[in-house]
Amino acid sequence: MKLRSRVPELVAATARETRSALEYYRERIRVLNPRLNAFITPVDPQAHPATGAPGTRRLAGLPIAHKDLFVTRGIPTTCGSRMLAGFVPPYDACVVERLDLAGCTLIGKTNMDEFAMGSSNETSAFGPVRNPWNLERVPGGSSGGSAAAVAAGLVPVATGTDTGGSIRQPAALCGITGIKPSYGRVSRFGMIAFASSMDQAGVLARSAEDAAWVLREMAGHDPRDSTSVGLPVPDYVAALTRGVRGLRIGIVQNFFDEGLWPAVADRIREALSVLEAAGAQLIDITLPHLSLSVPVYYVLAPAECSSNLARYDGIRYGHRARDPVDLTDLYCRSRSEGFGAEVQRRILIGTYVLSHGYYDAYYLKAQRVRRLIRNDFLKAFESVDLLAGPTTPTPAFRLGEKTADPLTMYLNDIYTIGVNLAGLPALSVPAGLVEGLPVGLQLIGRDFDEETLFAAAADFQGRTDWHRAEPPGFEEGSG
Amino acid sequence: MSWETVIGLEVHVQLLTESKIFSATPTRYGASPNTQAGLIDLGYPGVLPVLNRRAVELAVRFGLAIGATVSRRSVFARKNYFYPDLPKGYQISQYDQPIVQGGALEIPLPEGIVKRVGITRAHLEEDAGKSVHDRFPEASGIDLNRAGTPLLEIVSEPDLRSPTQAVAYLKALHTLVRYLAISDGNLQEGSFRCDANLSVRPTGETRLGIRSEIKNLNSFRFVEQALRYEADRQVQLLEAGGQVVQETRLYDPDRRETRPLRSKEEAHDYRYFPDPDLLPLVLEETFIDEVRSALPELPTAKRERFQSAYGLGAYDAAVLTQSRDLADYYESAHRAGAPDSKLLANWILGEVLAKLNRDHLEIDQVPVPASMLALLLVRIADGTLSGPLAKTVFETLWAGEGSVDEIIDARGLRQVSDTGALEQVIEDTIAAHATQWTEYCAGRDKLLGFFVGQVMQATQGRANPQTLNALIQKRRERSG
Amino acid sequence: MLSAEEVKRLSVLARLEVRPEDQDRLVRELDRILGFVRQLEAAPTGEIEPLVHPLDLIQPLRDDEVREPVDREAIQKAAPDVAEGYYRVPRVIE
C-alpha cells in the first residue's frame, strides 16, 4: 500500500490483500486528523454495510469519506450544524447508496461549513478545518473537510457538494482535483439542501483519473429527484485518454481582473500554456454579465435556503430548545440555538428578498440576470469546447482573516459561482504553488459534458506533477 | 338602506389517490397517528418531492368538466409559513401559474333559475397535518398522516349573492367532484372543506366592500349559518357607522357566531417563490385528450337526459342525478325491465331513499339490487301485487329474505282477484256489519271505505282493490 | 438603509431570535450585503424570462402507488418529544 496509489490500484490491491487499504487509511486518520479536524464522525467500516442488490463492485474495498451533508443510514449526519448534532437518519442519500453498491467502504463523515454556507470551513459547529499545506490557513469551503482529508492522504477520495464553488474552491486551496458535475447529473436525494437549484454533488480526489472512477458510479438518473436527468452516464474513465488536442479553450478574460493575485495569474497562464502545448487552441472570451454572478447568487441562494431551512423547527428531529414557554419560543430559540451566525444571516437575507414588496426587485431581478449569465456561457460555447481560468483569486487565506466581514468572504467565490447559476459542469486541478500554497486551474464544460473536462484535466495531469505534490508533514510515513 | 351580500368560496377537495401528492405513502383516513407519514411527508433533510400522475389527471378532469382552461404549463410554488402541522415550513402549492384557470359551474336555484358561477382557478397543493388539543395537558399533539394528501383548491369568483346561493354552489360542486370520482367528498373526514370570503355593499354599488375570510365551515348547514351571521354582522357594523376590518374569522358552530382568529399572527407574508425541487408541469395534448375521453356524463347533462328520456319531472330528475350511484341504480332498474319509469322514480325517491336514510346507508350499500326492484314493479304491473302488498314485499327484500316471487308465494301475498272467493268474504262482512250495510245502502257512500277495509283485513290485504270496489258497489245495486 | 424594525420583522418571519446585543451588528451586516446585491437594479434585463432552473426540463410524474413503508418507531427515534405516536409541542392556539 502506497499513499499515492491510484484508485484502480487501490481496488486491485484490496482484491489481493483484504482490508489493507482500509487499515492504512484508518491509521492515518487516527494519527493525522487531530491536526486537521477534517472529520466530524470517523466511521467504523462495519458500521455501514451496503444493502440491496449487488452493484458494479468496480470500487470494491475503496475507502471513501462523505461530506457530512450526505445522509447516512444509522450514522450521525450533522451538516456541520449544532441543529443536527446527534441526528441519526434512518435512510441513505442516493450518492451513498450508489457508492456502497459500487463497493466503497465509508470511513468517515467530513467536516464542512454549516449547511454548506461558507468558503473557509470556519462556520462549522464542530470547529474549523485546517489546511494541510499550512495549518494556520483555511482549507476553503464548504467541502473543506473532504478537501483537507484527501490532500493530507487521510482518504483517497471523498464526496462533496458544490452550490457556489464548494468543491472547486477547497480543492484548489488544498491542491487536489475536484469536480462539480452538471446540475441534474447526480441525484440530490438525501443531500441536505442549501440552495436546491444550484446544489450538486461531486468528487474530491487526487487526480482527474480518480475522480472519474468515482463519479462514474455516483452519476445517473434517480426517480426520487425530479431534477435529475434521464441521460445515460458516459464512461468517464474511458474519456480520460482523449486528450486536449484540437479542443478550443476559451480563456475567460473577466477572471483576470484586479482581484486576482498576479502570482496566481502567472500559475494559471503557465497551466494554459501546458494545454496549448498539448494541442489545445486558446481563445480569449468575455462573459459580459459574469461580474453580476456574486450579487445574483447572494439573492438566490439565501432565498432558497431561507425556505429549505424552515423545516428545522425542533419538532420532528434536530435541536429543540429546553422548556419552551410557547410555540413561538420553541421555534425561535430552537432555531437560534441550532443555527450559527452565517446561516442565520443568510436566512434573514433570503427572507428579505422574498418578502412582500421586495420580491420583484431582488428575487425576480436576480433570476432574470441569472438567465443573462447562462446565456453568456451558452454563447461562449458556440465557439469553444471548454472555458478556463483560475478557481480562486488568491491561495488559502489565514484562519480568521475574513470572518469579520461576510462580504469579503463571499467575494472569494467570484470565479466559481457563475457556473452554479448556469448549471454547468466544472472542475479544478492543481496548477502550482504560490508562497508554498496550492492554486487551482478551473475548467468549465458544456451542459453534461464532464467527459471533455476529464479529458483535458487528465491530459494536463499527464504533463504536470502538481497533483502529486504532498503537503509537508503529511507525506508517506508521517505521523 | 338595502344591502347586497357578495360571497366567493374557496373549497379544498382531497383528491382520490392511493398515495400522497409528492410521496409514496398512503392517504387512507383514520390511521393511527403518524403511521402514514413518511420521510418526505415529514420533511426530513435531503428528501425530495416527486409528483403523482393521478393527482394531475384528477385536476385536469375537473378543469375539463367545468369548461376551464387547462394550463399546458403550470408551476409549483412554496408558500412559506411556520405552523406545527406544516412539516417543511412551507406548503407546496401553485401560485401564479395554476393548473386550471377559468371555467364555471351552473347551479340550480329555486323557481328553476340556473345561475352560472365563475371559477377563478383551481390549483394542486399538498394538505397539512392535524393538531389535536385534547390529548395532553398544556400541549398539542401533531399527527402528520394527512400531510401531503393531494388537494385541489377551487376558488370561485365573488359571484354568489346570498348564503343560500353559496350553499347551492357547494352542493353542486360536491355533486360534481363525486361524479367525476376525483374525491369522496366526505365532509366529516375533511375531504371537502370550505372557506368563504364575504363582503356587503349598498344595493346598486359596483365596487366590492371590505371582506372577511371565514374558516372552519365544515358542513353545508354551518356555511349557511356562518354566512348569515357574518353578513348581518357586517351590515350592522356599517349601519352603525363602523368599518369592516379585513381579517380571518373562525366560525364557532356552538355559539353560532364568527370571531377573529385569536393567534397574534404578524401580517402574513408567505414569500411565494417557484419550488426549485419541482420542474414546470407541462401537459401534452395527448395527456389531456386521454383524460377528456374518460370523462363521465356530467350532472347537468344527465339531469336533462333523465327528463327527456324517461319523462321525469325536473325535481325527480334532479334528485335522481344528484349522485352518480343513485342515477346508475335508477338506470339499472330501468334496463332490468321496470315497466313504468315514473313509478320507478317514485319508488326510488320514496321507499328506497327513506330506508337508506332510516338505516344510515349510502346508495352503494343498498340491500335490494336494482334488478330485484325492477321485478317487484313488474309484479305490480301484472296485477300479482297490490301497492300496499308490494311495500310489504319490499320490506322483506330489504331484510334480505329471499326473492320477489319466493316472498309472494311463501307469505301467500298473491293478490286475490278471483271474484267468487271475494264475493264470499263480502257476504260474510255484510252479515257481520248489517247496520253499516243498511246505512251504506241508504246512501252513506263514505262507508264504502269501511267495507273495503274490512275485506282487506279479512284477506290480509291480498284483495285486489279495484276488483273489490267494483264488487261491493255491484252488491249495493243488487240490494237497492 | 435597513432599519432595526425591519430586521425585527424578518426575524419574526424567519422564527429567529435576535439577541439585543447582536442587533446593531446584524443590521449593519445585512444592510451591507443588501447594498451589495442592489447593484442588480442597474442590470439591463428588460423582460427576459427569469431562470428558475438551470436546465429547461419538465416535471416527471410518478405512478400513484404506495411504496414507502412507514416505520413510525424508527422515524420517531429522532424526535425530541413524542407521546402516543404524536409529536408534542406547546399548545397551539388558533
Side-chain angles (χ1 to χ4, degrees), chain B residues 353-368:
Chain B
L353 289 186
K355 289 202 166 46
L356 286 174
N357 201 29
R358 182 195 69 192
D359 296 351
H360 305 291
L361 296 174
E362 296 296 323
I363 182 68
D364 60 348
Q365 302 164 298
V366 66
V368 179

Side-chain angles (χ1 to χ4, degrees), chain A residues 336 358 367-368 371 405, chain C residues 6 17 32 48-49 51:
Chain A
S336 287
Y358 300 104
Q367 294 287 36
R368 292 190 205 278
R371 186 172 294 280
D405 180 8
Chain C
E6 227 162 345
E17 186 179 56
R32 206 162 114 72
I48 188 168
E49 196 194 335
L51 189 153

Side-chain angles (χ1 to χ4, degrees), chain A residues 60-225:
Chain A
L62 179 69
I64 197 164
H66 292 312
K67 184 176 185 177
D68 205 18
L69 166 153
F70 291 98
V71 166
T72 42
R73 180 173 28 86
I75 290 174
T77 301
T78 68
C79 221
S81 181
R82 181 160 181 233
M83 181 58 84
L84 288 176
F87 173 60
V88 180
Y91 55 111
D92 272 326
C94 177
V95 161
V96 173
E97 264 172 18
R98 291 194 176 172
L99 290 171
D100 277 356
L101 291 175
C104 291
T105 304
L106 175 60
I107 63 170
K109 304 290 297 286
T110 58
N111 204 341
M112 54 181 288
D113 279 299
E114 184 178 14
F115 282 98
M117 299 176 202
S119 308
S120 68
N121 229 291
E122 291 165 294
T123 71
S124 169
F126 301 91
V129 178
R130 288 161 190 276
N131 191 319
W133 288 89
N134 180 333
L135 299 178
E136 299 310 309
R137 304 267 170 167
V138 302
S142 64
S143 312
S146 288
V150 171
L154 306 191
V155 66
V157 292
T159 55
T161 60
D162 189 318
T163 306
S166 281
I167 288 174
R168 291 159 289 155
Q169 185 253 18
L173 302 191
C174 290
I176 61 169
T177 303
I179 180 161
K180 179 202 97 77
S182 232
Y183 183 81
R185 180 60 98 183
V186 179
S187 169
R188 293 186 296 114
F189 184 88
M191 217 177 100
I192 298 180
F194 160 20
S196 311
S197 78
M198 291 170 256
D199 293 343
Q200 181 62 198
V203 189
L204 296 102
R206 290 223 194 79
S207 64
E209 181 191 21
D210 286 1
W213 276 81
V214 177
L215 186 62
R216 186 170 66 169
E217 306 301 327
M218 287 164 62
H221 180 246
D222 176 12
R224 294 169 296 181
D225 173 4

Side-chain angles (χ1 to χ4, degrees), chain B residues 17-26 32-35 37-39 42 44 50-54 82-84 132-133 135-136 138-143 262-263 266 269 271 274-276 278-280 282, chain C residues 9-10 12-16 49 52-53 55-79 81-94:
Chain B
T17 57
E18 294 294 319
S19 64
K20 305 262 172 86
I21 182 168
F22 296 118
S23 66
T25 52
S32 183
N34 293 306
T35 52
L39 299 171
L42 294 170
Y44 261 62
V50 185
L51 182 59
N52 184 335
R53 174 183 289 110
R54 184 83 184 146
F82 284 89
Y83 207 72
V132 301
H133 308 301
R135 201 97 186 182
F136 310 107
E138 288 167 34
S140 295
I142 309 297
D143 173 9
R262 236 190 312 157
S263 53
E266 78 282 357
D269 187 342
R271 291 157 285 141
D275 191 331
L278 291 160
L279 298 159
V282 174
Chain C
R9 182 183 67 91
L10 296 174
V12 169
L13 274 176
R15 297 296 188 277
L16 293 172
E49 196 194 335
V52 177
H53 294 282
L55 303 170
D56 195 16
L57 297 173
I58 63 169
Q59 177 59 34
L61 299 175
R62 64 162 236 286
D63 290 339
D64 179 26
E65 291 168 351
V66 173
R67 288 175 158 215
E68 189 187 336
V70 174
D71 182 346
R72 183 176 74 187
E73 214 163 301
I75 288 174
Q76 292 194 336
K77 270 187 198 150
D81 187 5
V82 287
E84 299 169 34
Y86 291 95
Y87 295 97
R88 210 156 43 171
V89 298
R91 176 74 59 140
V92 178
I93 303 162
E94 281 186 337

Side-chain angles (χ1 to χ4, degrees), chain A residues 183 197 226 229 292 294-296 299 314-318 320 324 326-327 330-333 335-336 344-345 347-349 351-352 355 358 362 364-372 374-375 405 407 410-411 422-423 448, chain C residues 2 6-7 9-11 13-17 25-26 29-30 32-34 36-41 43-55 57 59-60 74-75 78-81 87-92:
Chain A
Y183 183 81
S197 78
S226 299
V229 295
L292 295 171
V294 181
V296 168
V299 171
I315 297 176
R316 283 146 291 117
Y317 51 80
R320 181 191 186 95
D326 60 18
L327 199 57
L330 169 69
Y331 281 136
C332 294
R333 276 201 297 127
R335 290 167 59 78
S336 287
Q344 295 193 43
R345 266 195 295 275
I347 289 174
L348 291 170
I349 293 287
T351 303
Y352 180 89
S355 64
Y358 300 104
Y362 288 87
L364 208 58
K365 183 76 179 181
Q367 294 287 36
R368 292 190 205 278
V369 180
R370 184 180 187 183
R371 186 172 294 280
L372 293 177
R374 176 161 162 88
N375 287 349
D405 180 8
L407 202 51
Y410 296 172
L411 290 169
F448 300 105
Chain C
L2 197 66
E6 227 162 345
V7 172
R9 182 183 67 91
L10 296 174
S11 65
L13 274 176
R15 297 296 188 277
L16 293 172
E17 186 179 56
R25 179 187 51 79
L26 191 62
E29 284 169 353
L30 296 183
R32 206 162 114 72
I33 296 165
L34 289 171
F36 170 74
V37 301
R38 216 167 282 139
Q39 64 182 287
L40 293 175
E41 274 174 14
T45 49
E47 286 305 297
I48 188 168
E49 196 194 335
L51 189 153
V52 177
H53 294 282
L55 303 170
L57 297 173
Q59 177 59 34
I75 288 174
D81 187 5
Y87 295 97
R88 210 156 43 171
V89 298
R91 176 74 59 140
V92 178

